[in-house]
Amino acid sequence: MNRKIFLTSLTAAVAIPAAILTTAAFADGGSGLRARPEGPCDIYAAVCTPCVAAHSTTRALSKDYNGPLYQVMRQSDKKTLDIGVVQPSAADAGGYADADAQDEFCKDTYCWVTIIYDQTGNGNDLHQAPRGGFCGNSQGGFNNIPVADWAPVTLMGHKVYGLFINQGMGMRQNNTSGTAVDDLAEGQYWVFNGQHYNNGCCFDYGNAEIDSRDDGDGTMETTYFGVSRGWYYGHGEGPWVMTDQENNLVGCVNDDPNDKFCPTLKSQTARFITAMADGEPHHWRTMSGDAQQGELEVLYDGCRIKNPRSSYDPMRKQGAILLGNGGDNSEASAGTFYEGAMTKGGTFPTAETNQAIQANVVAAGYDVQRLAISASDKTGRPNGLQTFAPKTTGSTSVVFVNTTGAAIDDLELSIVTPRRWKAFVAGTREKSRKVGYTVEPGQRVVVAFDVTSPRKAFNGDLTAKASWTGRNGKCSETAIEKVRNVSPVKINEFKVNGSDSFIELYNAGSRKVNISKWTIKSHSMHMPIVSAINIPAGTKLGPGAYYLLGLSTSGLSVDAAAGDEVIYVRSVRGISEGDEIQIGDEIRKVAAITCPEEEPQNPGWGFPSGLPGGTTTIWQPLPEGPVITIPAGSSNIPLQSVGGFKVGDRMAIGYGTTYPPTSNDLVRYEVVTITEVGTAGNQSYLAADAKPGDTNIKVQSVDGISVGDKIRLDIDSQGHGIETVTVKSIGTASAFHPSWELFDPDADAGTGIDIEEPLKFFHSRNMPFNAHGSGITFEPATKFDHSSNEPVVALVHAIRLDRPLSKSHPVDEAVYDSKAVGVGYEGDVTPDQLYGGPQLDTKHGNITLRDGKGNIVDAVNYGLVVDPWLSEGYHAESGDGMFGSYAPSPDDNHLSAGRYPDGADSDDNKADFRMQSAETYLPTPGRPNRY
Ligand code: AHR
């Protein structure tokens, strides 16, 4: 923040009532320590609109908060660390996040943000968002969790990290306490990056549905930022600050409900933005401003949306808290969050209070990243990754921007390298560059270095270091860039069209590379990874040579043991009785084939799909859960769907998932025999208000509910309370669905459900609840614990062999039938290796190549960014249709995607891969790519 901005913030503060003045950091009575600055929650509390939830990865939002701000989990050993608040010293008021602790903990590995703690003590922490109406990109439809270091900025003169949300990511809390429900008033503010956005639904923060589904107009009320024109819109091209009130991004209210243009809604341009969405009965207000200077402007202040159905007045808020997604877990949005808070249900902050919050944010001094390191051709669009081949030199730049707020001297920039690496200022033998002039506030200094890697393969960090003399004496800061030092073998071309799939590797170097025991993992969106393709010992790839992996006729869908006479496979297409088939290196004849008359259906768009026989998942209950554990020793399991399961069939239940799923570990299966098929789990809603003393509740659906079931109702809020009821008898469901129709008091409400005990609390209509259903019963009992969203597979494709297997074979072992035509890889170049699976996801996936020691050699996200931590490319490109950097998915057109020319790699999946053009250039497995 420069001096001018600092003065502006003090000027803004003068206009605010004394009781809620932002306090600058002055010396604390006698201790010699500087006093911690007040935060927005101190301001809200001073005027009796206390925070009910406060979230930030950058700072404490009240002067007394000393708990953790957020939790990170590192990939290397899955350990977690709470990132706390820096304490005051004589020179520094503290109160900002301890980013140095994160950097130290995450060195040479990847870290994710697993929890953003609620700073109010109400337990409204944000976690990995669960699958809702829409699925995120992670296993079982969870949203991906944000990578911890993708949004560095400066705050209070120090490095801190914001939360970078890309398509498929998001955080949520459905089981909240004290937030506004129904038409209760509430205030909400947030601070975010005004230059990172897209048009995907919906980069929101605030109050939403407790079942992650669209429960109808008015069931959410959040802040929104982006360029969506799907509902309301303002001047110019956007981005706009609006509110999300469900089935509506709202910027204003016009007399004509079909008129969606908001004359007072301006396009936002600031780098950092503060925005507010405050709602109370019949009234809401939106305000926004530049978070680095000045006051907020009122964007809208007036009545609720008018429409003939009065569907937004009164509101029917449910009180969940989301960050980065839409109410129904629409997850196409992008943006960067720094801080935000919500006031207690039933409170409505004044515009003056909001101006005081803005002054506090301005005083906190958000500014751009001070120190950065990237490949020299990517300083404007840093992608966080630089790949070296062993013993090569690359150009890496260190970029310093003076965000200290004052002129500095003695600036020195250097690169701290991993062992045996070398870094010299470009064209010299100097290890650091001393900048021999005073660097003014806002001034940028760039120094290029020649970085040389050693022979040894490595995945880890290059660290930039800056030191300088500023207002408070000597200071220093570090920043990291991920580097790979690996043999130049590339994932060069791939084809994902159903069974005719291949993956081609290419040696882009000038020496032979030993690729023995290298592995390839293919990760389908929503699915766990169950196997790796292993390249056989003794395999070498010459310079300019290709290694082609073709999908086999079929593959094992679960492990097979020595002595097994029946094997379960991905598909039996093309295989006939009497055929000779090869399972790994064993040859058998097909004695009999079993397959379903109809392929089991997957449980709906966006839900896990793609494994043999259709995959469903273990039930995820909302608003409680979202993860439940079914302990080892169980013989029944609740499921999202029971379609495709039959008594007597075998069923595979996945286990080994770690929560949150982070897309790297292998998941395994245990196999059981189905003895009874019951009902699937069901998310439902109350269909009418229920009051204390009632012994009957009206419900939108009775599916999955049985007598004796225990059903949890509601959340903990003013006028509401959580209780668990026992089902006594089951009648009929109500005739309307809340998200499609407005409540009709004359519609048939059904006879509902009788419950054992009278209700203790009031529960308003369309508050969600869930029923686990009676699931599937099986034998033997499980050997392992299982958790919500783990995969469950009906093993519907089976082959009886003429004689038992002599050896055991792993899941995805190739099953090959030379007589099968039109299934498996069909190209004219003979593959170097057949693989039985996993079959590549036909739309979105990730393919990762690792060397024999586990170093990542190359990785491709295609279709979408499925594994953000494995991504290659710049993800902050903003505007319509910007969902991050990924290779095209050549899904339905029997083409392939590949690098052109072969081996070209600029560490950017989007730039490096092209899709084949239809007529002229067909896939080229095992040969040079053409476009
Ligand atoms: O209101 C806009 C969006 O519509 C909501 O966020 C989502 O739940 C629905 O799809």
Side-chain angles (χ1 to χ4, degrees):
M1 189 175 76
N2 63 34
R3 276 197 196 100
K4 181 168 161 263
I5 293 169
F6 185 63
L7 285 175
T8 316
S9 72
L10 288 181
T11 315
V14 169
I16 292 156
I20 53 174
L21 257 179
T22 300
T23 314
F26 296 115
D28 185 16
S31 68
L33 303 179
R34 304 221 27 214
R36 278 268 300 274
E38 281 194 343
C41 288
D42 298 311
I43 293 167
Y44 276 134
V47 289
C48 300
T49 56
C51 288
V52 73
H55 304 111
S56 177
T57 55
T58 63
R59 65 168 176 152
L61 299 181
S62 61
K63 66 180 180 342
D64 295 326
Y65 183 72
N66 272 313
L69 298 178
Y70 60 104
Q71 183 193 69
V72 292
M73 176 194 269
R74 67 180 173 206
Q75 187 190 48
S76 50
D77 57 6
K78 295 280 165 62
K79 286 199 170 136
T80 58
L81 178 75
D82 283 344
I83 304 299
V85 180
V86 173
Q87 295 303 307
S89 65
D92 176 12
Y96 51 90
D98 187 0
D100 290 344
Q102 174 181 320
D103 290 348
E104 197 182 319
F105 183 73
C106 301
K107 186 164 168 30
D108 288 331
T109 184
Y110 292 87
C111 271
W112 299 281
V113 174
T114 36
I115 304 174
I116 304 180
Y117 291 103
D118 173 15
Q119 301 181 23
T120 67
N122 289 308
N124 292 323
D125 304 338
L126 300 177
H127 296 257
Q128 180 172 30
R131 167 173 52 80
F134 292 87
C135 291
N137 297 358
S138 186
Q139 179 185 317
F142 273 101
N143 291 9
N144 274 325
I145 35 178
V147 182
D149 63 355
W150 275 15
V153 286
T154 308
L155 179 74
M156 303 178 185
H158 300 271
K159 176 168 81 172
V160 292
Y161 291 105
L163 195 81
F164 189 103
I165 301 277
N166 204 4
Q167 184 281 332
M169 290 180 180
M171 308 204 61
R172 192 161 182 138
Q173 176 57 262
N174 285 327
N175 198 2
T176 50
S177 181
T179 49
V181 281
D182 301 335
D183 206 18
L184 280 180
E186 68 180 350
Q188 301 171 120
Y189 93 93
W190 65 335
V191 181
F192 52 86
N193 181 345
Q195 291 164 5
H196 179 209
Y197 53 83
N198 71 4
N199 62 330
C201 178
C202 296
F203 187 62
D204 290 347
Y205 172 70
N207 191 322
E209 295 94 327
I210 60 173
D211 59 352
S212 299
R213 284 162 173 77
D214 180 346
D215 293 337
D217 296 358
T219 53
M220 63 184 291
E221 182 173 54
T222 70
T223 52
Y224 163 81
F225 181 66
V227 286
S228 168
R229 285 174 171 265
W231 292 278
Y232 286 78
Y233 60 94
H235 287 280
E237 298 301 313
W240 302 289
V241 168
M242 296 193 266
T243 67
D244 190 341
Q245 301 185 13
E246 191 49 271
N247 301 315
N248 229 336
L249 295 176
V250 195
C252 62
V253 172
N254 295 322
D255 286 337
D256 175 358
N258 297 319
D259 178 4
K260 305 291 182 189
F261 174 66
C262 295
T264 55
L265 205 57
K266 60 171 198 181
S267 290
Q268 304 276 342
T269 53
R271 168 63 175 81
F272 296 90
I273 293 176
T274 313
M276 269 78 178
D278 304 314
E280 62 179 341
H282 314 302
H283 175 219
W284 61 279
R285 184 186 56 217
T286 315
M287 299 172 80
S288 82
D290 181 340
Q292 290 182 295
Q293 60 183 324
E295 297 192 11
L296 302 173
E297 282 177 48
V298 175
L299 300 175
Y300 176 79
D301 189 356
C303 63
R304 294 270 181 201
I305 296 175
K306 300 170 200 159
N307 64 24
R309 306 172 301 142
S310 300
S311 60
Y312 294 95
D313 191 4
M315 296 289 278
R316 297 171 301 145
K317 291 176 262 195
Q318 294 186 358
I321 306 173
L322 57 68
L323 171 55
N325 305 124
D328 54 7
N329 200 44
S330 295
E331 38 59 76
S333 37
T336 301
F337 170 87
Y338 302 115
E339 61 175 75
M342 300 161 70
T343 69
K344 191 174 163 203
T347 63
F348 187 79
T350 62
E352 290 71 32
T353 303
N354 288 352
Q355 294 294 4
I357 304 279
Q358 159 71 354
N360 181 279
V361 170
V362 170
Y366 277 99
D367 208 333
V368 295
Q369 178 180 12
R370 183 153 51 211
L371 184 67
I373 173 169
S374 68
S376 293
D377 61 342
K378 296 196 172 61
T379 53
R381 294 163 60 84
N383 64 339
L385 173 70
Q386 193 169 2
T387 300
F388 292 78
K391 300 193 83 167
T392 56
T393 299
S395 180
T396 305
S397 285
V398 175
V399 180
F400 180 90
V401 180
N402 182 359
T403 60
T404 65
I408 60 164
D409 292 302
D410 311 324
L411 177 64
E412 183 170 357
L413 300 176
S414 59
I415 293 180
V416 183
T417 58
R419 262 186 81 222
R420 300 214 172 88
W421 288 61
K422 290 195 168 56
F424 296 110
V425 175
T428 75
R429 300 304 283 173
E430 292 169 26
K431 290 198 166 164
S432 70
R433 167 59 48 88
K434 289 187 173 136
V435 176
Y437 51 87
T438 297
V439 181
E440 298 298 331
Q443 193 174 342
R444 187 169 187 258
V445 178
V446 183
V447 177
F449 289 79
D450 294 328
V451 176
T452 307
S453 69
R455 186 184 298 281
K456 192 165 183 260
F458 175 77
N459 286 173
D461 298 346
L462 264 191
T463 306
K465 187 169 178 209
S467 58
W468 66 92
T469 307
R471 266 190 307 214
N472 297 324
K474 286 266 176 218
C475 299
S476 66
E477 190 166 310
T478 57
I480 66 118
E481 177 195 33
K482 295 279 171 223
V483 286
R484 295 177 188 155
N485 184 41
V486 283
S487 298
V489 175
K490 307 292 169 189
I491 298 165
N492 197 52
E493 188 183 358
F494 60 95
K495 185 162 180 275
V496 294
N497 306 314
S499 74
D500 178 18
S501 298
F502 67 83
I503 302 169
E504 176 197 84
L505 307 181
Y506 173 75
N507 182 355
S510 53
R511 290 161 187 253
K512 189 181 277 186
V513 177
N514 184 347
I515 59 171
S516 297
K517 300 193 178 161
W518 284 26
T519 60
I520 298 167
K521 279 187 185 165
S522 150
H523 182 205
S524 295
M525 192 149 105
H526 307 143
M527 299 306 300
I529 300 175
V530 295
S531 70
I533 304 168
N534 297 296
I535 297 180
T539 311
K540 298 204 166 99
L541 197 58
Y546 303 89
Y547 188 80
L548 182 60
L549 298 115
L551 184 67
S552 181
T553 315
S554 188
L556 293 182
S557 48
V558 285
D559 294 350
D564 281 357
E565 222 173 280
V566 175
I567 56 171
Y568 297 93
V569 292
R570 163 168 51 81
S571 158
V572 290
R573 271 182 53 218
I575 302 176
S576 308
E577 280 180 24
D579 282 2
E580 200 169 70
I581 56 169
Q582 186 165 347
I583 307 113
D585 56 357
E586 296 199 71
I587 304 220
R588 296 288 182 277
K589 279 207 161 145
V590 176
I593 292 175
T594 315
C595 67
E597 279 161 27
E598 271 179 50
E599 291 290 314
Q601 296 301 302
N602 287 314
W605 183 85
F607 286 82
S609 61
L611 277 189
T615 302
T616 189
T617 48
I618 296 175
W619 180 240
Q620 166 202 272
L622 299 177
E624 67 270 35
V627 174
I628 49 170
T629 300
I630 291 96
S634 301
S635 54
N636 174 277
I637 212 149
L639 293 184
Q640 163 72 23
S641 155
V642 293
F645 292 89
K646 271 201 344 276
V647 171
D649 275 2
R650 306 275 277 164
M651 169 175 100
I653 312 173
Y655 68 92
T657 298
T658 49
Y659 282 90
T662 46
S663 313
N664 190 35
D665 301 319
L666 292 185
V667 167
R668 308 197 175 283
Y669 291 113
E670 59 179 313
V671 178
V672 296
T673 302
I674 299 168
T675 55
E676 198 177 331
V677 177
T679 54
N682 185 19
Q683 285 289 156
S684 187
Y685 323 77
L686 293 184
D689 290 352
K691 54 184 189 318
D694 284 356
T695 52
N696 174 278
I697 52 175
K698 305 291 184 224
V699 294
Q700 178 260 327
S701 158
V702 292
D703 292 350
I705 302 177
S706 309
V707 171
D709 278 358
K710 300 216 175 291
I711 293 179
R712 172 214 149 117
L713 300 174
D714 223 320
I715 65 161
D716 170 24
S717 182
Q718 194 179 317
H720 287 244
I722 298 170
E723 62 187 309
T724 302
V725 298
T726 308
V727 177
K728 189 171 166 193
S729 67
I730 302 161
T732 57
S734 154
F736 84 99
H737 189 293
S739 69
W740 308 327
E741 305 159 29
L742 202 64
F743 181 62
D744 174 1
D746 299 327
D748 175 13
T751 57
I753 291 172
D754 286 341
I755 52 177
E756 294 284 358
E757 301 290 335
L759 289 176
K760 293 195 206 83
F761 298 108
F762 169 79
H763 306 290
S764 48
R765 86 182 138 72
N766 98 346
M767 281 306 265
F769 65 87
N770 80 89
H772 290 209
S774 52
I776 291 197
T777 310
F778 49 81
E779 58 186 18
T782 50
K783 295 194 192 74
F784 303 94
D785 286 355
H786 295 276
S787 307
S788 299
N789 287 321
E790 286 181 350
V792 177
V793 186
L795 297 172
V796 292
H797 299 114
I799 298 176
R800 180 171 293 283
L801 306 172
D802 61 337
R803 61 198 163 86
L805 291 169
S806 314
K807 303 176 183 168
S808 58
H809 297 271
V811 60
D812 284 328
E813 178 82 275
V815 174
Y816 180 67
D817 182 343
S818 61
K819 289 197 182 146
V821 180
V823 281
Y825 166 74
E826 291 167 25
D828 50 4
V829 171
T830 307
D832 298 285
Q833 183 177 343
L834 284 175
Y835 63 98
Q839 195 166 332
L840 300 183
D841 189 303
T842 53
K843 291 208 181 308
H844 332 98
N846 176 287
I847 308 170
T848 301
L849 174 68
R850 286 184 172 79
D851 68 16
K853 295 221 160 68
N855 292 301
I856 299 163
V857 176
D858 195 14
V860 185
N861 279 294
Y862 65 91
L864 281 174
V865 183
V866 172
D867 286 319
W869 66 277
L870 280 167
S871 65
E872 298 190 9
Y874 176 68
H875 295 294
E877 198 174 340
S878 291
D880 274 6
M882 293 303 165
F883 301 117
S885 172
Y886 50 86
S889 171
D891 48 8
D892 295 325
N893 44 19
H894 294 277
L895 297 174
S896 67
R899 298 179 187 272
Y900 184 80
D902 293 279
D905 184 6
S906 64
D907 289 326
D908 184 338
N909 287 166
K910 188 173 183 178
D912 291 337
F913 279 85
R914 304 186 194 179
M915 196 153 94
Q916 301 261 326
S917 60
E919 283 79 28
T920 41
Y921 300 119
L922 296 172
T924 56
R927 293 193 302 264
N929 291 344
R930 296 180 303 172
Y931 288 92

